[in-house]
Amino acid sequence: MKKILFVFLQLFLIIKCFSLKKIINYLKIKLSYFLSFFKIMTKYDVMPVSASFEPSNFCNLRCPECPVGMRANKNQKSETMDFDLFKNIFNELKTNLLYAIFYFQGEPLTNKNLMKIIAFAHANRVFTMTSTNAQLLDNQTARELVESGLDKIIISIDGATQEIYEQYRVGGLIEKAINGVKFIEKWKSQLRKQTPLVEIQCLLLRTTETQIAQMKQLAKTLNADNIIFKTAQFYDFENGNPLMPKNEKFSRYCQNSDGKYVIKNKLRNRCPRLWEGAVITADGKILPCCYDKNADFVFGKFEKTNETEKNHFKEIFNGKAARTFRKKILSNRKQFEICRNCTE
């Protein structure tokens, strides 16, 4: 019953953000995407209905299957998104945007401006969501998140005990993650707020696949609004991975007759994410989707400094690089490594 209420409340919060202009833009996106099935690329200058903003590109943990956690890009400069940069981008998107995700690769709570960013988006009638490992989610931070108007928070807890949890969340303490949930629920109650909706996320790994019942009980004990079990992405999966679940139904990969692993997804030559959403990195790069972890397919970089300049994001999102990438997806999606590991 609680899960049903969670789904309806989340849907209600999103519907509250609708406007006539947003509906028209969404319908144009859907029409444009449908026509693309027939290799027809429309000239509609659409805008995304969802956007993932990267508050921070670095993290305090060292999760083994995360490029940031593994410190894979040694040359990447650690950055947090500047509020003015966010505001300039968001102001161009807000009349068409239904929801904003404040998460991409790093840990969002390392950005000291996160509450200010969320509050600004919330004030402009956009559904707001973030995801965190909750290691920095103390009592005061929890209060500020509740007061910011955040609609939903995903808290990653991969295991019901410290022994299991730390095998993936390297450097983390399960106690901090659990306390993070408690702090949010405490302030929701004290401030008489229904939001943010708290969703616990558990990756399905070899270490966690036998702890589903325990995780459900933990979520119930903590009074979380929902719990989801998410299949894990592995970068080197063809020969298997020590963290890959033994039970294949908990994995996004299956084993072929030759012993090699392949993704279960059929990878059709189309992808709605390229029409409906965008990812904006901490330094303003606009990417096709959240699977482009290394920013290999940058559509353009947002460097607007003049408030009077208009349509800069629109030009990038509908520009040559973006259109070319979408056309290539429609002809042969498997040519892109970022797509070969996608569940869409």
mmCIF file of all heavy atoms in Angstrom, residues 102-148:
data_model
loop_
_atom_site.group_PDB
_atom_site.id
_atom_site.type_symbol
_atom_site.label_atom_id
_atom_site.label_comp_id
_atom_site.label_asym_id
_atom_site.label_seq_id
_atom_site.Cartn_x
_atom_site.Cartn_y
_atom_site.Cartn_z
ATOM 1 N N PHE A 102 19.376 16.533 -9.688
ATOM 2 C CA PHE A 102 20.628 17.136 -9.245
ATOM 3 C C PHE A 102 21.606 16.030 -8.855
ATOM 4 O O PHE A 102 21.877 15.777 -7.683
ATOM 5 C CB PHE A 102 20.368 18.121 -8.102
ATOM 6 C CG PHE A 102 19.509 19.271 -8.555
ATOM 7 C CD1 PHE A 102 18.174 19.347 -8.193
ATOM 8 C CD2 PHE A 102 20.024 20.250 -9.387
ATOM 9 C CE1 PHE A 102 17.375 20.386 -8.641
ATOM 10 C CE2 PHE A 102 19.230 21.300 -9.840
ATOM 11 C CZ PHE A 102 17.906 21.364 -9.466
ATOM 12 N N TYR A 103 22.062 15.363 -9.882
ATOM 13 C CA TYR A 103 23.009 14.262 -9.707
ATOM 14 C C TYR A 103 23.488 13.814 -11.084
ATOM 15 O O TYR A 103 22.712 13.746 -12.022
ATOM 16 C CB TYR A 103 22.348 13.074 -9.000
ATOM 17 C CG TYR A 103 23.216 11.839 -8.984
ATOM 18 C CD1 TYR A 103 24.313 11.744 -8.132
ATOM 19 C CD2 TYR A 103 22.953 10.777 -9.833
ATOM 20 C CE1 TYR A 103 25.127 10.624 -8.127
ATOM 21 C CE2 TYR A 103 23.757 9.646 -9.836
ATOM 22 C CZ TYR A 103 24.845 9.569 -8.988
ATOM 23 O OH TYR A 103 25.647 8.469 -8.994
ATOM 24 N N PHE A 104 24.771 13.545 -11.194
ATOM 25 C CA PHE A 104 25.291 12.881 -12.384
ATOM 26 C C PHE A 104 26.363 11.886 -11.981
ATOM 27 O O PHE A 104 26.134 10.688 -11.963
ATOM 28 C CB PHE A 104 25.817 13.900 -13.408
ATOM 29 C CG PHE A 104 26.456 13.286 -14.634
ATOM 30 C CD1 PHE A 104 25.947 12.120 -15.195
ATOM 31 C CD2 PHE A 104 27.565 13.868 -15.224
ATOM 32 C CE1 PHE A 104 26.545 11.552 -16.321
ATOM 33 C CE2 PHE A 104 28.161 13.306 -16.345
ATOM 34 C CZ PHE A 104 27.660 12.153 -16.887
ATOM 35 N N GLN A 105 27.546 12.371 -11.594
ATOM 36 C CA GLN A 105 28.597 11.443 -11.224
ATOM 37 C C GLN A 105 29.079 11.609 -9.779
ATOM 38 O O GLN A 105 29.146 10.656 -9.027
ATOM 39 C CB GLN A 105 29.785 11.593 -12.181
ATOM 40 C CG GLN A 105 29.464 11.183 -13.605
ATOM 41 C CD GLN A 105 30.640 10.483 -14.255
ATOM 42 O OE1 GLN A 105 30.947 9.352 -13.947
ATOM 43 N NE2 GLN A 105 31.300 11.168 -15.170
ATOM 44 N N GLY A 106 29.418 12.824 -9.387
ATOM 45 C CA GLY A 106 29.958 13.024 -8.048
ATOM 46 C C GLY A 106 28.889 13.007 -6.968
ATOM 47 O O GLY A 106 27.707 12.759 -7.225
ATOM 48 N N GLU A 107 29.299 13.266 -5.740
ATOM 49 C CA GLU A 107 28.384 13.332 -4.602
ATOM 50 C C GLU A 107 27.813 14.750 -4.498
ATOM 51 O O GLU A 107 28.548 15.708 -4.232
ATOM 52 C CB GLU A 107 29.122 12.952 -3.314
ATOM 53 C CG GLU A 107 28.386 13.282 -2.033
ATOM 54 C CD GLU A 107 26.973 12.736 -1.979
ATOM 55 O OE1 GLU A 107 26.780 11.536 -2.302
ATOM 56 O OE2 GLU A 107 26.055 13.496 -1.615
ATOM 57 N N PRO A 108 26.502 14.919 -4.712
ATOM 58 C CA PRO A 108 25.883 16.250 -4.733
ATOM 59 C C PRO A 108 26.113 17.078 -3.474
ATOM 60 O O PRO A 108 26.248 18.305 -3.545
ATOM 61 C CB PRO A 108 24.393 15.936 -4.919
ATOM 62 C CG PRO A 108 24.372 14.616 -5.591
ATOM 63 C CD PRO A 108 25.534 13.856 -5.022
ATOM 64 N N LEU A 109 26.161 16.438 -2.306
ATOM 65 C CA LEU A 109 26.266 17.180 -1.056
ATOM 66 C C LEU A 109 27.639 17.802 -0.835
ATOM 67 O O LEU A 109 27.832 18.536 0.128
ATOM 68 C CB LEU A 109 25.906 16.285 0.128
ATOM 69 C CG LEU A 109 24.425 15.879 0.215
ATOM 70 C CD1 LEU A 109 24.188 14.964 1.407
ATOM 71 C CD2 LEU A 109 23.514 17.094 0.293
ATOM 72 N N THR A 110 28.583 17.550 -1.730
ATOM 73 C CA THR A 110 29.874 18.238 -1.638
ATOM 74 C C THR A 110 29.787 19.653 -2.212
ATOM 75 O O THR A 110 30.738 20.425 -2.084
ATOM 76 C CB THR A 110 30.984 17.451 -2.370
ATOM 77 O OG1 THR A 110 30.625 17.291 -3.743
ATOM 78 C CG2 THR A 110 31.203 16.079 -1.747
ATOM 79 N N ASN A 111 28.661 19.976 -2.844
ATOM 80 C CA ASN A 111 28.438 21.329 -3.361
ATOM 81 C C ASN A 111 27.695 22.152 -2.315
ATOM 82 O O ASN A 111 26.542 21.864 -1.989
ATOM 83 C CB ASN A 111 27.626 21.281 -4.663
ATOM 84 C CG ASN A 111 27.531 22.635 -5.349
ATOM 85 O OD1 ASN A 111 27.525 23.678 -4.706
ATOM 86 N ND2 ASN A 111 27.448 22.626 -6.669
ATOM 87 N N LYS A 112 28.336 23.166 -1.792
ATOM 88 C CA LYS A 112 27.751 23.989 -0.725
ATOM 89 C C LYS A 112 26.554 24.807 -1.209
ATOM 90 O O LYS A 112 25.770 25.321 -0.406
ATOM 91 C CB LYS A 112 28.814 24.924 -0.140
ATOM 92 C CG LYS A 112 30.034 24.213 0.436
ATOM 93 C CD LYS A 112 29.655 23.239 1.538
ATOM 94 C CE LYS A 112 30.887 22.557 2.127
ATOM 95 N NZ LYS A 112 30.529 21.543 3.147
ATOM 96 N N ASN A 113 26.413 24.941 -2.529
ATOM 97 C CA ASN A 113 25.296 25.708 -3.082
ATOM 98 C C ASN A 113 24.091 24.833 -3.423
ATOM 99 O O ASN A 113 23.121 25.327 -4.002
ATOM 100 C CB ASN A 113 25.735 26.445 -4.350
ATOM 101 C CG ASN A 113 26.672 27.605 -4.064
ATOM 102 O OD1 ASN A 113 26.432 28.373 -3.136
ATOM 103 N ND2 ASN A 113 27.732 27.725 -4.836
ATOM 104 N N LEU A 114 24.139 23.547 -3.080
ATOM 105 C CA LEU A 114 23.086 22.633 -3.514
ATOM 106 C C LEU A 114 21.701 23.071 -3.044
ATOM 107 O O LEU A 114 20.748 23.056 -3.829
ATOM 108 C CB LEU A 114 23.381 21.215 -3.012
ATOM 109 C CG LEU A 114 22.356 20.152 -3.425
ATOM 110 C CD1 LEU A 114 22.322 19.991 -4.944
ATOM 111 C CD2 LEU A 114 22.665 18.817 -2.750
ATOM 112 N N MET A 115 21.571 23.476 -1.783
ATOM 113 C CA MET A 115 20.250 23.870 -1.266
ATOM 114 C C MET A 115 19.715 25.094 -2.010
ATOM 115 O O MET A 115 18.524 25.188 -2.328
ATOM 116 C CB MET A 115 20.311 24.174 0.236
ATOM 117 C CG MET A 115 21.107 23.200 1.060
ATOM 118 S SD MET A 115 20.640 21.469 0.806
ATOM 119 C CE MET A 115 21.948 20.675 1.724
ATOM 120 N N LYS A 116 20.609 26.036 -2.296
ATOM 121 C CA LYS A 116 20.232 27.244 -3.024
ATOM 122 C C LYS A 116 19.776 26.897 -4.438
ATOM 123 O O LYS A 116 18.794 27.454 -4.954
ATOM 124 C CB LYS A 116 21.430 28.196 -3.060
ATOM 125 C CG LYS A 116 21.159 29.577 -3.617
ATOM 126 C CD LYS A 116 22.429 30.416 -3.519
ATOM 127 C CE LYS A 116 22.208 31.808 -4.121
ATOM 128 N NZ LYS A 116 23.450 32.621 -4.059
ATOM 129 N N ILE A 117 20.469 25.955 -5.069
ATOM 130 C CA ILE A 117 20.130 25.507 -6.421
ATOM 131 C C ILE A 117 18.764 24.832 -6.431
ATOM 132 O O ILE A 117 17.908 25.122 -7.278
ATOM 133 C CB ILE A 117 21.229 24.549 -6.944
ATOM 134 C CG1 ILE A 117 22.487 25.332 -7.316
ATOM 135 C CG2 ILE A 117 20.731 23.749 -8.142
ATOM 136 C CD1 ILE A 117 23.692 24.455 -7.636
ATOM 137 N N ILE A 118 18.549 23.924 -5.468
ATOM 138 C CA ILE A 118 17.267 23.212 -5.389
ATOM 139 C C ILE A 118 16.123 24.189 -5.130
ATOM 140 O O ILE A 118 15.068 24.119 -5.772
ATOM 141 C CB ILE A 118 17.312 22.139 -4.289
ATOM 142 C CG1 ILE A 118 18.283 21.016 -4.677
ATOM 143 C CG2 ILE A 118 15.921 21.567 -4.033
ATOM 144 C CD1 ILE A 118 18.564 20.040 -3.548
ATOM 145 N N ALA A 119 16.327 25.106 -4.202
ATOM 146 C CA ALA A 119 15.279 26.075 -3.851
ATOM 147 C C ALA A 119 14.899 26.934 -5.058
ATOM 148 O O ALA A 119 13.723 27.246 -5.265
ATOM 149 C CB ALA A 119 15.754 26.959 -2.700
ATOM 150 N N PHE A 120 15.896 27.294 -5.864
ATOM 151 C CA PHE A 120 15.632 28.113 -7.048
ATOM 152 C C PHE A 120 14.780 27.336 -8.046
ATOM 153 O O PHE A 120 13.822 27.875 -8.618
ATOM 154 C CB PHE A 120 16.948 28.539 -7.696
ATOM 155 C CG PHE A 120 16.786 29.532 -8.807
ATOM 156 C CD1 PHE A 120 16.684 30.885 -8.540
ATOM 157 C CD2 PHE A 120 16.734 29.116 -10.132
ATOM 158 C CE1 PHE A 120 16.522 31.810 -9.564
ATOM 159 C CE2 PHE A 120 16.577 30.031 -11.164
ATOM 160 C CZ PHE A 120 16.479 31.374 -10.884
ATOM 161 N N ALA A 121 15.117 26.064 -8.254
ATOM 162 C CA ALA A 121 14.346 25.229 -9.182
ATOM 163 C C ALA A 121 12.933 25.004 -8.648
ATOM 164 O O ALA A 121 11.952 25.086 -9.403
ATOM 165 C CB ALA A 121 15.054 23.901 -9.397
ATOM 166 N N HIS A 122 12.818 24.732 -7.360
ATOM 167 C CA HIS A 122 11.510 24.500 -6.746
ATOM 168 C C HIS A 122 10.606 25.723 -6.874
ATOM 169 O O HIS A 122 9.402 25.590 -7.148
ATOM 170 C CB HIS A 122 11.702 24.141 -5.272
ATOM 171 C CG HIS A 122 10.420 23.974 -4.521
ATOM 172 N ND1 HIS A 122 9.605 22.866 -4.656
ATOM 173 C CD2 HIS A 122 9.788 24.791 -3.624
ATOM 174 C CE1 HIS A 122 8.550 23.010 -3.880
ATOM 175 N NE2 HIS A 122 8.630 24.167 -3.246
ATOM 176 N N ALA A 123 11.181 26.898 -6.700
ATOM 177 C CA ALA A 123 10.408 28.145 -6.803
ATOM 178 C C ALA A 123 9.875 28.369 -8.205
ATOM 179 O O ALA A 123 8.923 29.135 -8.402
ATOM 180 C CB ALA A 123 11.262 29.328 -6.366
ATOM 181 N N ASN A 124 10.463 27.682 -9.184
ATOM 182 C CA ASN A 124 10.032 27.832 -10.579
ATOM 183 C C ASN A 124 9.197 26.643 -11.061
ATOM 184 O O ASN A 124 9.154 26.339 -12.252
ATOM 185 C CB ASN A 124 11.249 28.013 -11.479
ATOM 186 C CG ASN A 124 11.821 29.405 -11.404
ATOM 187 O OD1 ASN A 124 11.338 30.336 -12.047
ATOM 188 N ND2 ASN A 124 12.863 29.578 -10.585
ATOM 189 N N ARG A 125 8.557 25.950 -10.119
ATOM 190 C CA ARG A 125 7.607 24.872 -10.414
ATOM 191 C C ARG A 125 8.226 23.768 -11.275
ATOM 192 O O ARG A 125 7.719 23.408 -12.328
ATOM 193 C CB ARG A 125 6.361 25.433 -11.099
ATOM 194 C CG ARG A 125 5.486 26.298 -10.204
ATOM 195 C CD ARG A 125 4.241 26.732 -10.919
ATOM 196 N NE ARG A 125 3.451 25.576 -11.352
ATOM 197 C CZ ARG A 125 2.586 25.609 -12.368
ATOM 198 N NH1 ARG A 125 2.421 26.714 -13.060
ATOM 199 N NH2 ARG A 125 1.894 24.539 -12.696
ATOM 200 N N VAL A 126 9.317 23.230 -10.780
ATOM 201 C CA VAL A 126 9.963 22.081 -11.411
ATOM 202 C C VAL A 126 10.159 21.004 -10.347
ATOM 203 O O VAL A 126 10.594 21.299 -9.231
ATOM 204 C CB VAL A 126 11.327 22.472 -12.026
ATOM 205 C CG1 VAL A 126 12.081 21.247 -12.515
ATOM 206 C CG2 VAL A 126 11.121 23.449 -13.185
ATOM 207 N N PHE A 127 9.802 19.772 -10.669
ATOM 208 C CA PHE A 127 10.004 18.647 -9.751
ATOM 209 C C PHE A 127 11.505 18.450 -9.562
ATOM 210 O O PHE A 127 12.255 18.356 -10.522
ATOM 211 C CB PHE A 127 9.370 17.385 -10.341
ATOM 212 C CG PHE A 127 9.490 16.167 -9.454
ATOM 213 C CD1 PHE A 127 8.531 15.894 -8.494
ATOM 214 C CD2 PHE A 127 10.559 15.294 -9.597
ATOM 215 C CE1 PHE A 127 8.621 14.772 -7.682
ATOM 216 C CE2 PHE A 127 10.670 14.171 -8.792
ATOM 217 C CZ PHE A 127 9.699 13.900 -7.843
ATOM 218 N N THR A 128 11.939 18.373 -8.313
ATOM 219 C CA THR A 128 13.373 18.301 -8.021
ATOM 220 C C THR A 128 13.731 16.992 -7.327
ATOM 221 O O THR A 128 12.995 16.513 -6.463
ATOM 222 C CB THR A 128 13.804 19.476 -7.128
ATOM 223 O OG1 THR A 128 12.987 19.512 -5.952
ATOM 224 C CG2 THR A 128 13.675 20.799 -7.868
ATOM 225 N N MET A 129 14.885 16.457 -7.710
ATOM 226 C CA MET A 129 15.318 15.175 -7.160
ATOM 227 C C MET A 129 16.829 15.138 -7.062
ATOM 228 O O MET A 129 17.529 15.717 -7.895
ATOM 229 C CB MET A 129 14.832 14.039 -8.068
ATOM 230 C CG MET A 129 15.203 12.647 -7.591
ATOM 231 S SD MET A 129 14.561 11.366 -8.705
ATOM 232 C CE MET A 129 15.777 11.438 -10.007
ATOM 233 N N THR A 130 17.346 14.461 -6.039
ATOM 234 C CA THR A 130 18.784 14.237 -5.957
ATOM 235 C C THR A 130 19.037 12.834 -5.441
ATOM 236 O O THR A 130 18.124 12.149 -4.958
ATOM 237 C CB THR A 130 19.480 15.282 -5.062
ATOM 238 O OG1 THR A 130 20.896 15.187 -5.243
ATOM 239 C CG2 THR A 130 19.149 15.074 -3.590
ATOM 240 N N SER A 131 20.292 12.395 -5.558
ATOM 241 C CA SER A 131 20.705 11.074 -5.103
ATOM 242 C C SER A 131 22.012 11.212 -4.339
ATOM 243 O O SER A 131 22.909 11.946 -4.768
ATOM 244 C CB SER A 131 20.885 10.135 -6.302
ATOM 245 O OG SER A 131 21.322 8.857 -5.895
ATOM 246 N N THR A 132 22.130 10.533 -3.210
ATOM 247 C CA THR A 132 23.288 10.729 -2.357
ATOM 248 C C THR A 132 23.702 9.448 -1.650
ATOM 249 O O THR A 132 22.874 8.552 -1.414
ATOM 250 C CB THR A 132 22.991 11.820 -1.300
ATOM 251 O OG1 THR A 132 24.103 11.946 -0.417
ATOM 252 C CG2 THR A 132 21.755 11.480 -0.488
ATOM 253 N N ASN A 133 24.985 9.368 -1.300
ATOM 254 C CA ASN A 133 25.439 8.256 -0.455
ATOM 255 C C ASN A 133 25.203 8.571 1.027
ATOM 256 O O ASN A 133 25.430 7.722 1.886
ATOM 257 C CB ASN A 133 26.909 7.915 -0.721
ATOM 258 C CG ASN A 133 27.857 9.090 -0.479
ATOM 259 O OD1 ASN A 133 27.715 9.866 0.458
ATOM 260 N ND2 ASN A 133 28.848 9.230 -1.350
ATOM 261 N N ALA A 134 24.766 9.783 1.310
ATOM 262 C CA ALA A 134 24.332 10.228 2.653
ATOM 263 C C ALA A 134 25.442 10.273 3.694
ATOM 264 O O ALA A 134 25.162 10.441 4.879
ATOM 265 C CB ALA A 134 23.182 9.350 3.164
ATOM 266 N N GLN A 135 26.688 10.189 3.281
ATOM 267 C CA GLN A 135 27.780 10.261 4.255
ATOM 268 C C GLN A 135 27.930 11.672 4.827
ATOM 269 O O GLN A 135 28.487 11.856 5.911
ATOM 270 C CB GLN A 135 29.087 9.800 3.602
ATOM 271 C CG GLN A 135 29.079 8.358 3.121
ATOM 272 C CD GLN A 135 28.797 7.364 4.240
ATOM 273 O OE1 GLN A 135 29.615 7.182 5.139
ATOM 274 N NE2 GLN A 135 27.632 6.722 4.187
ATOM 275 N N LEU A 136 27.422 12.670 4.096
ATOM 276 C CA LEU A 136 27.483 14.058 4.541
ATOM 277 C C LEU A 136 26.115 14.573 4.986
ATOM 278 O O LEU A 136 25.951 15.759 5.252
ATOM 279 C CB LEU A 136 28.018 14.944 3.407
ATOM 280 C CG LEU A 136 29.404 14.583 2.859
ATOM 281 C CD1 LEU A 136 29.752 15.455 1.658
ATOM 282 C CD2 LEU A 136 30.468 14.728 3.946
ATOM 283 N N LEU A 137 25.152 13.664 5.077
ATOM 284 C CA LEU A 137 23.778 14.060 5.394
ATOM 285 C C LEU A 137 23.568 14.063 6.920
ATOM 286 O O LEU A 137 23.003 13.139 7.498
ATOM 287 C CB LEU A 137 22.792 13.112 4.710
ATOM 288 C CG LEU A 137 21.298 13.451 4.794
ATOM 289 C CD1 LEU A 137 21.033 14.895 4.393
ATOM 290 C CD2 LEU A 137 20.509 12.494 3.924
ATOM 291 N N ASP A 138 24.025 15.135 7.542
ATOM 292 C CA ASP A 138 23.856 15.261 8.985
ATOM 293 C C ASP A 138 22.530 15.955 9.300
ATOM 294 O O ASP A 138 21.742 16.263 8.406
ATOM 295 C CB ASP A 138 25.037 16.014 9.605
ATOM 296 C CG ASP A 138 25.253 17.399 8.998
ATOM 297 O OD1 ASP A 138 24.304 17.959 8.394
ATOM 298 O OD2 ASP A 138 26.370 17.937 9.117
ATOM 299 N N ASN A 139 22.300 16.224 10.576
ATOM 300 C CA ASN A 139 21.030 16.785 11.024
ATOM 301 C C ASN A 139 20.727 18.139 10.379
ATOM 302 O O ASN A 139 19.623 18.383 9.883
ATOM 303 C CB ASN A 139 21.049 16.925 12.550
ATOM 304 C CG ASN A 139 19.728 17.416 13.105
ATOM 305 O OD1 ASN A 139 18.685 16.806 12.904
ATOM 306 N ND2 ASN A 139 19.774 18.536 13.824
ATOM 307 N N GLN A 140 21.711 19.053 10.347
ATOM 308 C CA GLN A 140 21.495 20.379 9.785
ATOM 309 C C GLN A 140 21.286 20.325 8.279
ATOM 310 O O GLN A 140 20.419 21.020 7.735
ATOM 311 C CB GLN A 140 22.695 21.285 10.116
ATOM 312 C CG GLN A 140 22.584 22.702 9.585
ATOM 313 C CD GLN A 140 21.357 23.461 10.093
ATOM 314 O OE1 GLN A 140 20.885 23.213 11.205
ATOM 315 N NE2 GLN A 140 20.844 24.378 9.297
ATOM 316 N N THR A 141 22.072 19.494 7.600
ATOM 317 C CA THR A 141 21.928 19.349 6.145
ATOM 318 C C THR A 141 20.560 18.792 5.791
ATOM 319 O O THR A 141 19.931 19.229 4.822
ATOM 320 C CB THR A 141 23.025 18.434 5.584
ATOM 321 O OG1 THR A 141 24.311 18.962 5.939
ATOM 322 C CG2 THR A 141 22.939 18.324 4.071
ATOM 323 N N ALA A 142 20.082 17.843 6.592
ATOM 324 C CA ALA A 142 18.759 17.265 6.363
ATOM 325 C C ALA A 142 17.675 18.336 6.487
ATOM 326 O O ALA A 142 16.758 18.412 5.667
ATOM 327 C CB ALA A 142 18.499 16.134 7.355
ATOM 328 N N ARG A 143 17.791 19.185 7.500
ATOM 329 C CA ARG A 143 16.805 20.266 7.669
ATOM 330 C C ARG A 143 16.821 21.205 6.460
ATOM 331 O O ARG A 143 15.764 21.583 5.949
ATOM 332 C CB ARG A 143 17.086 21.051 8.950
ATOM 333 C CG ARG A 143 16.149 22.237 9.104
ATOM 334 C CD ARG A 143 16.224 22.914 10.445
ATOM 335 N NE ARG A 143 15.181 23.939 10.550
ATOM 336 C CZ ARG A 143 14.734 24.443 11.678
ATOM 337 N NH1 ARG A 143 15.238 24.025 12.835
ATOM 338 N NH2 ARG A 143 13.788 25.360 11.681
ATOM 339 N N GLU A 144 18.009 21.551 5.995
ATOM 340 C CA GLU A 144 18.124 22.460 4.852
ATOM 341 C C GLU A 144 17.545 21.833 3.584
ATOM 342 O O GLU A 144 16.926 22.527 2.768
ATOM 343 C CB GLU A 144 19.585 22.836 4.644
ATOM 344 C CG GLU A 144 20.144 23.738 5.746
ATOM 345 C CD GLU A 144 21.644 23.956 5.635
ATOM 346 O OE1 GLU A 144 22.242 23.458 4.650
ATOM 347 O OE2 GLU A 144 22.218 24.611 6.521
ATOM 348 N N LEU A 145 17.724 20.534 3.415
ATOM 349 C CA LEU A 145 17.151 19.854 2.245
ATOM 350 C C LEU A 145 15.630 19.876 2.297
ATOM 351 O O LEU A 145 14.969 20.144 1.288
ATOM 352 C CB LEU A 145 17.649 18.405 2.179
ATOM 353 C CG LEU A 145 19.026 18.169 1.558
ATOM 354 C CD1 LEU A 145 19.434 16.713 1.712
ATOM 355 C CD2 LEU A 145 19.042 18.563 0.081
ATOM 356 N N VAL A 146 15.068 19.600 3.464
ATOM 357 C CA VAL A 146 13.607 19.624 3.611
ATOM 358 C C VAL A 146 13.076 21.038 3.354
ATOM 359 O O VAL A 146 12.074 21.225 2.657
ATOM 360 C CB VAL A 146 13.192 19.127 5.004
ATOM 361 C CG1 VAL A 146 11.681 19.302 5.212
ATOM 362 C CG2 VAL A 146 13.579 17.659 5.189
ATOM 363 N N GLU A 147 13.759 22.035 3.884
ATOM 364 C CA GLU A 147 13.320 23.424 3.718
ATOM 365 C C GLU A 147 13.513 23.930 2.294
ATOM 366 O O GLU A 147 12.828 24.872 1.873
ATOM 367 C CB GLU A 147 14.088 24.321 4.691
ATOM 368 C CG GLU A 147 13.712 24.107 6.152
ATOM 369 C CD GLU A 147 14.531 24.947 7.117
ATOM 370 O OE1 GLU A 147 15.700 25.272 6.790
ATOM 371 O OE2 GLU A 147 14.017 25.281 8.198
ATOM 372 N N SER A 148 14.406 23.317 1.533
ATOM 373 C CA SER A 148 14.684 23.770 0.162
ATOM 374 C C SER A 148 13.523 23.509 -0.794
ATOM 375 O O SER A 148 13.446 24.113 -1.865
ATOM 376 C CB SER A 148 15.936 23.077 -0.375
ATOM 377 O OG SER A 148 15.684 21.703 -0.669
#
